[in-house]
Amino acid sequence: MLKIGLTGPYSPNMKAAFYDALPDGFDVVEIPTVEDYGALEDVDFVVLRTLKFDNATINRCKQLKMIQKYAVGYETIDIGAAAARNIPVVNCTGVNTVSVAEMAVLQMLAVLRNLLPLNRRLCAHQWAKDEFVQCSYTLKGKTVGIIGLGSIGRHVAQLLRAFGATVLYYDMFRQSEQTEQELGVTFFPFEELLPRVDLLTLHAPSTPETINLIDREALSKMKRGAILINTARGNLVNEEALIEALQSGQLGGAGLDVFSSEPPAADSPLLHLENVVATPHVGGSTAGNDSNMMRQCAGNIVKFCERKPILKRNIVNLSMLSDPLPIEYQ
């Protein structure tokens, strides 16, 4: 019987969805913390959510055939160490596209319209009807820059166009002219994009090339008063530089669903600045989405065992695997 390490933590609903999606023939061992990693030594598959999976951990799993990542981000996994043993690392790209894209737009609107300070005033019995009029704006007519035009970035672009915004983008891999026309987006190199936008929203993965992508230099090139939105990964932004830009007025505001350390320290200015909307990494957390993610995790494992193809976009270390590949893809 094949053994799966359900490496957590996971909610009861998430676990129920995973078990329901698995056919007979699998034994599941639940591993909620790194202290329980000793139980991984004889697993054939790992489903990983938030815990780290480094080189040493991968090598202690002698029978490991595939690592299935819950959600999209895989920065906690040593994908090179996995590839050295010809172990594919598979994620769930696409499942949380709509949820995260809508969260990004929600953050934009909340910052532009000063939603949180208005709410705080009202809850303190202050009728601040006119206090923020001169610094409240619509998305219509704004120029928004998207960093990373994957599935989430594309959906954000579609939503923004519906609001009447002009959408620019930067991605390491430029889209085809046809795709750009269909989405209504215009490509600019990173350095040229920054000074053109009123809002900048991040939808890139965490890689050596993108860590601290938004640093002091990048922030200094943006329009004074521009807004930064990050629903991707906290380490894309240098938080010290971000705080300085927010406090100085170089940035007019920020919407943050992710942080370099999660949860952030209680005394972080990012939790107390009035021009910041902060949420606890819940962009993909909508009713039913967690269960859908778990069903895809189970489904990919079953596909691997049945030699049925897995979507190419979901195999994050595909180019690093040996020939012949241990996995079918399409």
Side-chain angles (χ1 to χ4, degrees):
M1 182 172 289
L2 294 169
K3 192 171 184 179
I4 301 173
L6 191 59
T7 309
Y10 299 93
S11 71
N13 285 343
M14 295 163 74
K15 288 190 284 188
F18 184 75
Y19 284 110
D20 288 345
L22 275 181
D24 294 335
F26 292 94
D27 179 30
V28 179
V29 55
E30 295 183 12
I31 303 165
T33 69
V34 293
E35 286 72 26
D36 303 304
Y37 271 12
L40 286 170
E41 292 185 0
D42 62 344
V43 300
D44 299 283
F45 302 94
V46 163
V47 179
L48 187 69
R49 189 181 180 199
T50 60
L51 301 180
K52 289 188 176 181
F53 222 68
D54 57 17
N55 182 30
T57 304
I58 290 170
N59 286 327
R60 75 190 295 180
C61 303
K62 304 302 182 183
Q63 297 178 195
L64 190 60
K65 299 174 177 63
M66 187 178 88
I67 299 170
Q68 172 64 55
K69 178 66 174 69
Y70 175 91
V72 179
Y74 52 87
E75 65 272 9
T76 59
I77 305 171
D78 190 332
I79 63 171
R85 287 186 49 198
N86 218 28
I87 296 171
V89 178
V90 181
N91 69 2
C92 296
T93 295
V95 177
N96 63 358
T97 293
V98 172
S99 296
V100 177
E102 289 186 359
M103 171 62 82
V105 176
L106 172 64
Q107 296 269 17
M108 294 178 199
L109 293 169
V111 177
L112 284 168
R113 297 302 298 270
N114 299 284
L115 183 66
L116 294 190
L118 283 167
N119 175 259
R120 284 190 288 264
R121 301 290 197 281
L122 189 58
C123 291
H125 309 292
Q126 300 173 30
W127 191 250
K129 184 172 177 62
D130 298 320
E131 182 178 349
F132 294 95
V133 171
Q134 299 307 315
C135 58
S136 291
Y137 306 96
T138 65
L139 262 175
K140 182 179 176 62
K142 293 292 181 290
T143 299
V144 183
I146 298 175
I147 304 296
L149 206 66
S151 59
I152 295 173
R154 291 185 184 198
H155 196 67
V156 170
Q158 292 171 333
L159 294 174
L160 290 172
R161 294 290 293 174
F163 274 92
T166 298
V167 184
L168 316 180
Y169 83 97
Y170 166 74
D171 194 288
M172 291 181 64
F173 303 99
R174 183 172 179 176
Q175 303 298 309
S176 68
E177 183 177 348
Q178 179 180 347
T179 298
E180 291 179 350
Q181 290 177 351
E182 290 173 352
L183 292 174
V185 299
T186 303
F187 175 86
F188 280 93
F190 179 69
E191 300 290 339
E192 296 181 26
L193 178 76
L194 295 176
R196 296 175 181 269
V197 300
D198 303 301
L199 299 96
L200 184 70
T201 182
L202 308 182
H203 300 287
S206 173
T207 67
E209 293 77 25
T210 61
I211 291 175
N212 283 328
L213 179 68
I214 306 302
D215 55 11
R216 283 184 180 83
E217 182 179 1
L219 291 168
S220 70
K221 292 178 179 178
M222 295 177 64
K223 291 181 181 179
R224 185 169 181 83
I227 292 169
L228 177 70
I229 306 295
N230 189 8
T231 57
R233 288 292 177 266
N235 63 9
L236 302 186
V237 180
N238 181 307
E239 287 189 355
E240 183 178 340
L242 173 61
I243 292 167
E244 291 174 2
L246 289 164
Q247 291 175 331
S248 70
Q250 172 59 24
L251 281 185
L256 307 172
D257 189 48
V258 290
F259 302 86
S260 60
S261 177
E262 297 185 354
D267 61 352
S268 170
L270 296 175
L271 302 183
H272 304 285
L273 287 167
E274 193 166 66
N275 56 347
V276 175
V277 175
T279 49
H281 203 152
V282 293
S285 301
T286 53
N289 201 50
D290 54 356
S291 297
N292 291 337
M293 201 85 70
M294 294 304 288
R295 282 189 282 269
Q296 179 164 328
C297 289
N300 283 339
I301 291 173
V302 173
K303 286 179 179 179
F304 181 96
C305 294
E306 296 179 351
R307 298 295 293 180
K308 293 182 178 178
I310 293 172
L311 291 177
K312 180 179 180 180
R313 69 180 186 183
N314 288 346
I315 310 169
V316 300
N317 63 345
L318 179 61
S319 65
M320 306 166 71
L321 299 176
S322 301
D323 188 21
L325 297 177
I327 191 167
E328 301 289 331
Y329 66 91
Q330 62 183 14

